[in-house]
Amino acid sequence: MALLGQRPAKTAPATGPAAGPAAGPGPWPGLALAAGAVALAWLTHRLLPGLPMLTVAILLGLIAAHVPGTRAWVRGPAKAGLTFAAKRLMRVGIVLLGLKLSLDDVLGVGWQTVAMVLVTVAATFFGTWWLGRRLGLPGDQPLLIATGYSICGASAIGAVGDVSRSEERDTAVSVAVVTLCGTLAIAVLPLLQGPLGLSDAEFGRWVGASVHDVGQVVATAQTAGGAALGEGVLVKLMRVAMLAPLVAAVAVSVRARGAAAPGERRPAVVPLFVAGFLVMVAVRSTGLLPGAALDGAGHAQELLLGAALFGLGSAVDLRSLARTGGRVALVGLCAWVVVAGVSYAGVCATA
């Protein structure tokens, strides 16, 4: 069964003098706006450490797309740059994300934890995708929401949306619902540690296996101390490692459909940015990079993803979201229950 629904092939662009692109400001206004938003998101995170910078960046994008003073700018002169940030800078950020994971870290947690992560990712992905299709979510929204919940939130949505050539609206809606639930997790999950009887380390593993974005995992797990934070980040990065095979599977599905328009290249089975992600994992695994280099790459990765997620947030149209908002919210809530329930069972089974 194909992961992606059939979509009419795109028509080839017109040729001739009339088809030439109109002169415009290029990407720089949008990139400048994204840079300013990232700086504001970073400052907000510094003032409110419990609020992840990437989450703030998405929220700023949503605000910029709907406030009368900035809406025309976002939809007009800044559009090209924001689209560039959402696609190109996202890819570079995902490549650098590979430097956060080493093979030694994965092997050190034991096969039980690896199995728990695999089961959680598979159950969340296929359960969410199936429910989204059953409820009639349009376009690639079932696929993208399932990807965000099961792997690593908005970053995974951007990667899979790029390979699947998803409509910008589907990507933006999926980012919005996944970000909302991930943000709520920061407030909700710490309240459940005591009632669920989880030790600090177990709570960290549960957070890492169930919360979507790396920054949201850090914000949630750190409420239970250093042991919880370490376990949470490690388990979360194991989920991030699943991004490469998932993107490859989607690329194979797109190629199998054979729906490319004349002159349009089909996606590679392993896209270049995914190959770069795997190379960075291998480089990190050698242990040759000094801590300062890893820290610098980590900051660069966060800034790039912040700009990309601001671009994605600015593409959300709340009016169109409202038309399918009830169904999207239901899928998001059910997916949240699935990922939290399956991961909790897995943590208890491997304790």
Side-chain angles (χ1 to χ4, degrees), residues 99-125:
L99 289 175
K100 292 184 177 292
L101 183 68
S102 72
L103 296 178
D104 290 339
D105 291 337
V106 175
L107 296 176
V109 301
W111 68 267
Q112 298 96 333
T113 301
V114 173
M116 182 267 289
V117 171
L118 292 175
V119 170
T120 299
V121 168
T124 304
F125 178 82

Side-chain angles (χ1 to χ4, degrees), residues 200-201 203-204 217-235:
D200 290 346
F203 176 72
V217 168
V218 171
T220 308
Q222 69 184 1
T223 61
L229 180 59
E231 293 284 337
V233 170
L234 180 56
V235 171

Side-chain angles (χ1 to χ4, degrees), residues 22-30 73 76-81:
W28 299 113
W73 179 258
K79 179 66 174 177

